[in-house]
């Protein structure tokens, strides 16, 4: 009975952490509840998608991650933008 209670609380914690990071509550609840300690650690180490750079689609204006090749709304093919701080070649004097 103690294992069930521990699994329930670890599942709730993993589900909440997964939902905060933009994923499914149910998915992370199950991942964190079945192997309680390992599942909660996986939910904590799961990457946050909000920190990834985004850009707007030039056709429809939807905000998409920078690594997407196609807009998910209108299907426009998106070019990968040039890095902002790219070093420029310098001519020899």
């Amino acid at each position: 009975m103690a294992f069930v209670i521990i699994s329930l609380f670890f599942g709730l914690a993993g589900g909440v952490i997964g939902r905060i990071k933009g994923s499914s509550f149910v998915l992370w609840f199950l991942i964190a509840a079945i192997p309680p300690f390992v599942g909660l650690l996986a939910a904590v180490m799961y990457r946050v998608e909000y920190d990834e750079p985004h850009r707007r689609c030039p056709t429809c204006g939807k905000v998409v991650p920078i690594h997407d090749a196609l807009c998910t709304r209108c299907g426009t093919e998106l070019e990968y933008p040039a890095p902002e701080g790219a070093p420029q070649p310098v001519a020899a004097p």
Side-chain angles (χ1 to χ4, degrees):
M1 186 65 179
F3 180 74
V4 172
I5 293 172
I6 290 171
S7 293
L8 178 71
F9 283 112
F10 271 91
L12 287 173
V16 169
I17 291 170
R19 185 68 195 141
I20 288 172
K21 292 188 173 189
S23 190
S24 169
F25 174 83
V26 175
L27 174 71
W28 283 105
F29 176 83
L30 293 174
I31 291 172
I34 293 173
F37 300 105
V38 176
L40 184 60
L41 183 63
V44 170
M45 295 178 67
Y46 180 68
R47 68 185 177 110
V48 179
E49 294 184 6
Y50 298 119
D51 292 341
E52 293 182 10
H54 289 74
R55 61 181 166 174
R56 287 198 179 274
C57 173
T59 306
C60 66
K62 181 179 181 192
V63 177
V64 295
I66 201 163
H67 57 78
D68 283 357
L70 294 173
C71 177
T72 55
R73 181 184 291 166
C74 65
T76 302
E77 189 171 336
L78 303 171
E79 296 293 326
Y80 195 78
E84 294 175 7
Q88 300 295 327
V90 179

